[in-house]
């Protein structure tokens, strides 16, 4: 029995550096993609095996990244698809920066994510339908960006979603009303001049009209 436990611990030891390297590489890809005038990412040193020693990064007991807290950090640049490799990430906090470009579809692979906060940036493009894979998501705040296109109907599958805010964008089409969306008020969607109001099941087709 003792021999089996030692083997198991040795196996975990062998796996841990690989996970740390993979997650460190993913975070360093973000560092390379953004401008950081206040050097808040200065501690993100790719020569260190363990990214859990970096500022603004929180890890669990197995040295897997669970939080990324970079709200109001004066960062500019683009989000990177490599962030989708942070398999145990629960909180992605990048609000109140000057991020541009699209939301990577790869963020839909963050199956542990509880909170996605990208509000008050200059993010463009559509809301990825892949976010509907985030079954643990409770908070989705994308307000005050420059997002376009329809609100993905697939997001109504997010049963745990408690707060949704996509206000102050340039979204279009109708507002889904099924599933978790049935409890969200008008405030979640205001200041999207091209939104046509709630979808009326059986009366207004979701995909009617030109919407890009």
């Amino acid at each position: 029995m003792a021999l089996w436990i030692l083997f198991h611990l040795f196996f975990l030891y062998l796996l841990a550096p690989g996970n740390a390297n993979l997650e460190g590489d993913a975070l360093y890809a973000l560092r390379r993609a953004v401008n950081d005038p206040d050097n808040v990412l200065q501690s993100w040193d790719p020569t260190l095996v363990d990214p859990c020693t970096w500022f603004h990064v929180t890890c669990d007991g197995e040295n897997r990244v669970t939080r990324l807290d970079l709200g109001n950090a004066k960062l500019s640049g683009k989000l990177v698809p490599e962030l989708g490799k942070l398999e145990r990430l629960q909180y992605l906090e990048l609000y109140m920066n000057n991020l541009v470009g699209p939301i990577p579809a790869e963020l839909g692979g963050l199956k542990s994510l509880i909170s996605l906060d990208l509000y008050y940036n200059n993010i463009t493009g559509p809301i990825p339908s892949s976010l509907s894979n985030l079954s643990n998501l409770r908070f989705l705040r994308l307000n005050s960006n420059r997002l376009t296109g329809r609100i993905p109907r697939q997001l109504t599958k997010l049963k745990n979603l408690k707060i949704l805010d996509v206000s102050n964008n340039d979204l279009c089409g109708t507002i889904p009303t099924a599933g978790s969306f049935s409890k969200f008020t008008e405030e979640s969607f205001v200041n999207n001049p091209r939104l046509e109001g709630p979808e009326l099941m059986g009366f207004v087709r979701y995909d009617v009209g030109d919407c890009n």
Side-chain angles (χ1 to χ4, degrees), residues 65-82:
V65 176
T66 57
R67 289 188 69 111
L68 188 57
D69 291 293
L70 289 168
N72 199 19
K74 298 182 181 178
L75 302 177
S76 60
K78 294 184 178 182
L79 297 171
V80 293
E82 287 86 349

Side-chain angles (χ1 to χ4, degrees), residues 94-206:
L94 286 164
Y95 56 87
M96 297 179 69
N97 285 291
N98 190 29
L99 299 173
V100 299
I103 299 172
E106 288 80 0
L107 296 190
L110 299 174
K111 299 296 180 63
S112 300
L113 203 64
I114 293 171
S115 179
L116 177 58
D117 285 323
L118 300 176
Y119 58 89
Y120 283 101
N121 280 285
N122 283 297
I123 297 171
T124 55
I127 300 172
S129 60
S130 61
L131 298 185
S132 64
N133 296 323
L134 304 177
S135 58
N136 290 305
L137 196 67
R138 298 177 194 169
F139 309 100
L140 178 58
R141 288 174 278 229
L142 305 175
N143 50 297
S144 301
N145 280 286
R146 293 190 291 148
L147 296 170
T148 54
R150 300 181 187 278
I151 299 170
R153 218 174 171 186
Q154 296 93 322
L155 296 181
T156 62
K157 298 189 304 181
L158 296 176
K159 296 179 180 179
N160 291 313
L161 196 60
K162 304 299 182 188
I163 292 179
L164 170 75
D165 194 346
V166 294
S167 62
N168 298 292
N169 281 288
D170 190 26
L171 300 170
C172 57
T174 54
I175 299 171
T177 55
S180 59
F181 274 59
S182 62
K183 61 179 179 286
F184 299 131
T185 66
E186 183 182 345
E187 292 181 356
S188 296
F189 310 99
V190 296
N191 294 328
N192 284 278
R194 297 194 296 147
L195 275 181
E196 300 168 12
E199 176 184 14
L200 301 175
M201 299 301 290
F203 294 95
V204 179
R205 282 185 55 195
Y206 174 78

